[in-house]
Amino acid sequence: MTFRDIHLDEYRHIECKSIEAFEVNNVFSNGEHFLKFIYLNIRSFNKNFDSFIAYLQGSNVIWDVIMLGETWLGDDTAGIQLEGYRVFKTSGWRNRNDGVLVYVREGVSVNECRQMELAHVYGLSIDISFQGKNINLLSVYRTHDSDLDEFTEALHNYYNSFNINSFCILMGDINANILQADNKTERYLDMLYENGFMSGIDKYTRVQGNSKSCIDHIFVRHETCDSLKTAVVMTDVTDHFSIVLEISFPRINSSKKEDKYIDKKTLHELISKCDWSNVTSSQDINSSCNLFFSTLDEFICKSYKNRKSSNRKVKLKPWMTDGLLRSIRERDKISKQLRNQPFNQQLKNYYITYRNHLNSLIKRTKIQYYKSKIFVSKNNPKLFWQTVNEISGKRKNKDPFPLDQYTSGKTYLEDKRKQVADEFNNYFSNTPYIL
């Protein structure tokens, strides 16, 4: 006898939608009180990442956390950076197909990121702070050759280390079909339900021919499911669909003053058009100074403007073009037609030809962009190396080495020679975005 029954399952499920890739803009919202997660089994980062990012760029949704499983990266870190995001990567793997990447938007606070090994299943545990809430996100990919019972036990021990009321999210490809659960899958579900989790996905997430399964999961432990929204998004990047979670937080009426800045153009115009004769003609130096500063303060007050927080999307990759985005939307529409007409061989052949041509076009566009950029920078070493670093995945460390701590004027502190050498080694051997 298992812990589950059909009535309890209904209570433990978040209402899940199954939507087309191009419908995501109509379902999910942008705004400061929304936190949005998306996960995809990428089935080789180097093969499919550009196509996936092109899809994300084509939608108007700003994703706060992007998770990728089955990255096939190993120790490779070339080109994994993403504009506007911090990236975290697993450094251990069970086989060559393993690996998890997590991108967290720079506007979201990351308190800690830890690599987890749960019975030979590797993942990332990330503590996030958002709208005053502390959230633990566990993103994993469980390979086929690992034991589900052992993983379930390790996962149980992991969540036992948290308070039962803590806000926790589990997202990933678990390779356990929860729509046709066997004994091991039942035990996995029982453990999560016993630990207070709700299931966010109850639709097929992987379709391959006549085979359909729900092996990509979202489980959430939260006070209420009213503020949660989940969906299976029928992206056409791999044979897995994307799974999406949106959390809405109550709007906070802040008593803080609006974020303002001084508009330098307005201030310059006010100063340049001002008649300063009353300041320069005064014979009393104190009076002149007081009049000057009071006038300047008045102009500064008039130059203040509210700083608008923009929801405009950052361009995730510089080589992305509007033509590619239109072609991706067209591919997704053809894919939908094919799912509605699975035996239409003519439509299937057209779809395969269109998809393969688009994948080649994405690769050619990216290559041509960087070829042109390198050609332009051939006489500019600084620009050339910036381009090389962009291609290879390196980026400038925003936190400079604290050299001042180890020097006193021009006199070097002899007793810290070894410490400085160690600090230099640690600083320059570790990039800021790799675990």
Side-chain angles (χ1 to χ4, degrees), residues 334-346:
I334 300 170
S335 177
K336 178 184 178 181
Q337 293 174 12
L338 184 59
R339 285 195 296 274
N340 294 330
Q341 305 174 52
F343 302 108
N344 187 333
Q345 191 60 44
Q346 183 178 0

Side-chain angles (χ1 to χ4, degrees), residues 319-330 354 358 361-362 365:
W319 47 264
M320 205 75 66
T321 66
D322 291 339
L324 283 178
L325 301 181
R326 287 194 296 270
S327 297
I328 288 168
R329 284 192 287 270
E330 182 62 24
Y354 191 97
L358 177 58
L361 183 61
I362 289 173
T365 302

